[in-house]
Amino acid sequence: MALDDAVPVTDMAPPIVESRSALPRIAAEEVEPHFKAVGGRTGERRGIRLERIYWDGLSHIAAGSGVSTADLVESAASQIPDSTNLASLLRAISFKWALCRIELLEAKASMANLNAIVQASPSPTLVLTRDRKIFLFNDPFLAMLRSRLALNDRSQLKKGLRFLIDIQIDDALRTLNANEGTIIKTGFSIGLNLQTMRGKINVAPAPTHEDSMLIGYVSGF
């Protein structure tokens, strides 16, 4: 199913846009300048003063690259002839690395990739927004509705379909966010006009950075 076909209920479930303008909280010690004398492989020692949050960033970069922070500093120093700009360069390296990581993670956690996960599932699968609307679903989910609720027209999904899980979505998200790597097994009910059905569903946080949503896999009836 193409992405456009996989989101037939977008009209009744517009994406939730959460506030991204709030600044992160910064502890006082994170912006406190911290002096370190860093020695490289050549034996040269450099005195560098950086805010602690940048030292933390450089430590992450070094650990991910399999080198020491000292090696990272020496590599950075080789890029500029004027060592007085080394602290500024290290700040720029730390920030650019963070931006590249964000871009990579956001690309992996895109709506297109979320749709691919939903469509790849062999069981009836859907994505629910925080206001309890169906945002994505796959062919097995549609087949389940057609066989159990006599769904004849996809347009009925936008009109009379009601889907509820037996736990508040915000409560589920809080529980899942507090217990990383877990799932919640719960029940669900579907109503279409005068028809109803119940079943079991496993829910987890939808792997997307754009909205807080649940992905659910129907596990039984």
Side-chain angles (χ1 to χ4, degrees), residues 16 18 128-133 164-179 184 186 203-206 211-215:
I16 302 169
E18 297 180 341
L128 289 172
T129 65
R130 292 177 66 179
D131 55 351
R132 299 181 299 177
K133 300 296 197 276
L164 297 173
I165 59 175
D166 296 347
I167 183 174
Q168 291 292 329
I169 292 181
D170 281 341
D171 291 343
L173 286 169
R174 278 191 292 268
T175 298
L176 292 166
N177 289 336
N179 299 276
I184 293 176
T186 186
V203 296
D211 298 308
S212 293
M213 298 184 287
L214 289 177
I215 185 168

Side-chain angles (χ1 to χ4, degrees), residues 5-203:
D5 294 332
V7 195
V9 291
T10 303
D11 292 340
M12 75 173 184
I16 302 169
V17 179
E18 297 180 341
S19 174
R20 300 166 190 254
S21 61
L23 292 174
R25 294 187 178 184
I26 301 294
E29 60 269 18
E30 290 182 298
V31 294
E32 178 185 350
H34 183 62
F35 177 84
K36 285 187 179 183
V38 181
R41 293 180 180 178
T42 61
E44 182 180 358
R45 295 182 67 81
R46 298 178 177 86
I48 305 170
R49 185 180 297 275
L50 289 174
E51 291 78 8
R52 289 180 183 271
I53 194 168
Y54 288 112
W55 284 121
D56 291 343
L58 293 173
S59 295
H60 279 293
I61 299 171
S65 303
V67 299
S68 68
T69 302
D71 291 336
L72 183 63
V73 170
E74 187 170 25
S75 176
S78 67
Q79 298 183 34
I80 54 173
D82 184 0
S83 61
T84 59
N85 291 326
L86 182 57
S88 295
L89 176 61
L90 291 172
R91 290 187 183 94
I93 288 173
S94 180
F95 187 67
K96 186 171 183 178
W97 176 84
L99 287 178
C100 290
R101 292 281 291 179
I102 290 171
E103 290 175 359
L104 176 63
L105 292 174
E106 287 188 348
K108 289 182 177 296
S110 66
M111 285 295 184
N113 281 340
L114 174 59
N115 177 68
I117 292 171
V118 171
Q119 304 312 319
S121 172
S123 65
T125 303
L126 73 160
V127 172
L128 289 172
T129 65
R130 292 177 66 179
D131 55 351
R132 299 181 299 177
K133 300 296 197 276
I134 298 174
F135 186 66
L136 291 170
F137 61 85
N138 63 2
D139 283 335
F141 181 79
L142 187 60
M144 178 190 73
L145 297 181
R146 283 175 171 160
S147 65
R148 294 180 175 269
L149 295 178
L151 180 73
N152 298 316
D153 187 348
R154 288 174 66 114
S155 65
Q156 291 176 274
L157 293 173
K158 298 181 181 181
K159 298 176 182 178
L161 185 72
R162 301 176 305 280
F163 187 95
L164 297 173
I165 59 175
D166 296 347
I167 183 174
Q168 291 292 329
I169 292 181
D170 281 341
D171 291 343
L173 286 169
R174 278 191 292 268
T175 298
L176 292 166
N177 289 336
N179 299 276
E180 187 176 347
T182 63
I183 65 171
I184 293 176
K185 297 181 179 181
T186 186
F188 72 88
S189 63
I190 302 179
L192 181 63
N193 300 325
L194 299 179
Q195 306 172 84
T196 60
M197 66 169 287
R198 286 194 57 81
K200 299 176 182 179
I201 191 169
N202 298 333
V203 296

